[in-house]
Amino acid sequence: MSNLFNVKDRVILVTGGGSGIGYGISLGLVKNGAKVYICSRDIKKCDQVANELNTMGPGKCVALQSDLSKAEDCKSVIEKLLKYEDHLDVLINNSGCNWGEPMETYPDKAWDKVLALNLKSIFHLTVAALPLLKKNATVDNPSQVINIGSIDGIRVPILETYAYSSSKAAVHQLTRVLANRLAPDYILVNAIAAGPFMSKMTKQTFEKFNDEVVSSVALNRLGDHLDLEGLLVFLSSRASKYITGAIIPLDGGVLIQAHL
């Protein structure tokens, strides 16, 4: 079992790894011995998180600066990674943003901002990382791309988040398309349809609608770091080497509640 679920020394890049779901992912992987690289626009905050994570497990964490809403930064973050590593075992596309506003006033700039970070960056960064992902990938030890989608890309969202929910549905389909394209290179591509987790992005929503959100979860609670750790260690290890193109709900039962 320790070999099957082993992520020790695996080189993993987590976008948006300094806060929210990204922080929980990075924490779980460092605790299990991975070499985790986190990136965000705020390098000061990213450095602080990396220093904190380096005290919390046998793995290590390094901060890289990038603005993944820009295609050129998707290339430059891989160039920065090359200063430390000659390959990449796992790419976790987690960076994202949201925009909630009534339909009548929903602005075009919301679509541009949300789609650029939530969807286009996944494609641009995966393409930029391909040479590193291919480097050590084999049939018995494939590389992995893990995209963080959302249950709001499957169900109709509770709030008016038109660009966000549309972008996450597109992330799920892009995951399937990339999985098919990259299977011959021994690169697995899967997505997590995340339910409600506390994060910087969701904090304001939960402050206003906490009771409504929690009541929509069959398990009657928000997700936590251990929920992320279990699934991400599985998807980042050899234990998942026969799974690709899957959209895996991590939602505490929101989707089954939605169909009652």
Side-chain angles (χ1 to χ4, degrees):
M1 292 294 287
S2 61
N3 181 55
L4 190 61
F5 292 90
N6 185 19
V7 295
K8 184 178 184 297
D9 295 329
R10 283 180 73 75
V11 178
I12 302 176
L13 174 61
V14 183
T15 69
S19 62
I21 286 179
Y23 175 85
I25 291 169
S26 302
L27 172 61
L29 293 170
V30 168
K31 282 168 56 181
N32 285 277
K35 294 191 285 186
V36 179
Y37 293 83
I38 60 175
C39 63
S40 72
R41 288 177 296 177
D42 188 347
I43 190 59
K44 183 177 179 180
K45 168 70 173 176
C46 216
D47 275 328
Q48 290 174 346
V49 171
N51 291 334
E52 176 186 334
L53 292 178
N54 280 324
T55 68
M56 302 180 75
K60 76 171 187 177
C61 187
V62 176
L64 305 173
Q65 186 174 26
S66 66
D67 179 359
L68 297 178
S69 64
K70 302 175 182 177
E72 58 269 24
D73 266 27
C74 292
K75 296 178 181 177
S76 67
V77 75
I78 297 301
E79 292 170 357
K80 292 171 184 175
L81 179 63
L82 277 167
K83 296 178 181 178
Y84 300 92
E85 306 289 348
D86 66 354
H87 74 284
L88 182 63
D89 296 305
V90 185
L91 169 61
I92 300 176
N93 289 304
N94 164 74
S95 288
C97 62
N98 199 351
W99 192 302
E101 192 168 328
M103 185 182 203
E104 292 79 4
T105 59
Y106 207 82
D108 194 56
K109 65 181 180 181
W111 290 96
D112 293 339
K113 178 180 179 180
V114 173
L115 290 175
L117 186 58
N118 291 14
L119 180 62
K120 291 170 63 177
S121 72
I122 290 178
F123 180 78
H124 291 312
L125 187 56
T126 302
V127 171
L130 271 182
L132 295 184
L133 288 166
K134 290 179 180 180
K135 181 91 185 302
N136 288 352
T138 67
V139 64
D140 289 322
N141 187 34
S143 296
Q144 286 107 337
V145 176
I146 303 167
N147 299 324
I148 305 303
S150 172
I151 55 168
D152 282 352
I154 299 174
R155 65 167 186 174
V156 175
I158 297 172
L159 305 176
E160 293 188 272
T161 55
Y162 299 100
Y164 177 82
S165 55
S166 298
S167 74
K168 292 302 185 178
V171 166
H172 298 166
Q173 179 63 4
L174 179 60
T175 297
R176 300 182 187 100
V177 173
L178 291 175
N180 181 65
R181 171 63 175 79
L182 298 178
D185 296 312
Y186 308 119
I187 299 172
L188 314 179
V189 188
N190 294 292
I192 295 172
F197 283 79
M198 181 60 73
S199 69
K200 182 180 178 181
M201 185 175 72
T202 61
K203 182 179 179 182
Q204 187 175 5
T205 298
F206 290 163
E207 286 175 350
K208 292 181 179 179
F209 304 104
N210 184 75
D211 291 345
E212 291 91 333
V213 172
V214 172
S215 66
S216 74
V217 183
L219 297 182
N220 201 40
R221 67 173 176 86
L222 301 179
D224 61 29
H225 290 169
L226 286 178
D227 301 320
L228 291 165
E229 181 177 346
L231 183 53
L232 268 296
V233 167
F234 167 67
L235 287 176
S236 300
S237 69
R238 293 180 70 251
S240 63
K241 72 185 182 75
Y242 201 50
I243 299 174
T244 196
I247 314 301
I248 303 172
L250 184 64
D251 68 343
V254 171
L255 291 178
I256 58 172
Q257 287 276 79
H259 292 92
L260 291 178

